[in-house]
Amino acid sequence: AQSVTQLGSHVSVSEGALVLLRCNYSSSVPPYLFWYVQYPNQGLQLLLKYTSAATLVKGINGFEAEFKKSETSFHLTKPSAHMSDAAEYFCAVTTTEGGLRFGAGTRLTVKP
Amino acid sequence: NAGVTQTPKFQVLKTGQSMTLQCAQDMNHEYMSWYRQDPGMGLRLIHYSVGAGITDQGEVPNGYNVSRSTTEDFPLRLLSAAPSQTSVYFCASRARGGPGANVLTFGAGSRLTVL
């Protein structure tokens, strides 16, 4: 079965600092991996996806993630945090049934 | 292009009442699904459908029914609401193939409270 673990339910950074949100996955088949962002009282919006092409994936709003098979990781990074990045972030992996299995989420707070 | 539309946005029910959450998409997506979001648990799959007339259970199907009579609509029914079904519900759809395959498009969510 496929699963995702997000390390850290809350992450707080200062504006301009590096953002690092951690995601580890487990999958019995080559995975497709995703990061979604959820702003307050909204649905989920795709940030970026890994579908077995380049291991370093660039997404919207300056975010990127690197697929590391040896570490079963897909961590999300952004070099310089902005106040508008405050949101909840979800890592997800495709399942054999064709859906997505989500991690528990990481709430990012950006301090001025 | 409206994407995925969910109604209602908010609903309060009493224990034992029934209701239907509506979901419609105008992108001709074959795959549709329902998730519930609870604090600290991420999103969990309730039911999904790979096409009209076909539905299947996800991780947490108990207490919920679905049907898929058309490609566009995928309603979620609560037959006898329980307080444990208090949650935010999201409908999501995706294309079967092409560049959009595996990328779910989400609705804005429906917040349900069961008293």
Side-chain angles (χ1 to χ4, degrees):
Chain A
Q2 294 74 30
S3 67
V4 166
T5 302
Q6 291 185 239
L7 302 175
S9 58
H10 290 89
V11 170
S12 181
V13 300
S14 297
E15 192 173 19
L18 171 72
V19 175
L20 171 60
L21 305 182
R22 299 177 186 273
C23 172
N24 288 89
Y25 71 90
S26 172
S27 178
S28 56
V29 298
Y32 287 1
L33 294 158
F34 303 81
W35 277 99
Y36 280 84
V37 60
Q38 184 180 34
Y39 298 103
N41 300 314
Q42 295 187 24
L44 276 72
Q45 178 183 355
L46 180 69
L47 266 181
L48 50 81
K49 62 178 180 177
Y50 167 77
T51 56
S52 75
T55 57
L56 182 62
V57 182
K58 294 186 184 300
I60 62 172
N61 301 337
F63 284 93
E64 63 181 36
E66 186 172 9
F67 173 71
K68 292 187 176 181
K69 184 178 179 180
S70 62
E71 299 177 8
T72 62
S73 69
F74 190 57
H75 301 332
L76 181 71
T77 60
K78 181 174 180 178
S80 177
H82 192 273
M83 297 296 291
S84 61
D85 294 327
E88 188 152 22
Y89 293 80
F90 294 93
C91 184
V93 64
T94 47
T95 67
T96 51
E97 297 80 19
L100 290 181
R101 182 150 293 129
F102 287 84
T106 298
R107 184 169 299 279
L108 176 67
T109 301
V110 182
K111 299 175 292 185
Chain B
N1 193 345
V4 178
T5 302
Q6 291 183 233
T7 56
K9 292 190 184 303
F10 301 95
Q11 183 71 49
V12 179
L13 291 178
K14 294 181 180 179
T15 296
Q17 286 184 317
S18 63
M19 77 156 300
T20 299
L21 298 177
Q22 302 290 346
C23 176
Q25 53 90 9
D26 61 359
M27 299 171 285
N28 202 30
H29 285 171
E30 293 191 348
Y31 180 97
M32 296 186 73
S33 55
W34 277 102
Y35 288 84
R36 60 177 289 173
Q37 182 180 19
D38 302 292
M41 304 190 74
L43 282 80
R44 292 178 292 167
L45 182 64
I46 304 172
H47 285 286
Y48 66 98
S49 168
V50 297
I54 305 169
T55 63
D56 210 340
Q57 297 181 351
E59 301 172 67
V60 288
N62 293 339
Y64 307 95
N65 281 350
V66 292
S67 60
R68 186 90 180 273
S69 56
T70 67
T71 299
E72 295 78 19
D73 300 298
F74 191 47
L76 178 72
R77 297 184 183 86
L78 285 71
L79 298 179
S80 179
S84 61
Q85 294 177 304
T86 294
S87 187
V88 181
Y89 293 84
F90 288 98
C91 181
S93 70
R94 64 168 174 80
R96 191 176 193 178
N102 295 307
V103 177
L104 285 175
T105 299
F106 283 84
S110 297
R111 185 176 294 274
L112 175 65
T113 301
V114 183
L115 303 176

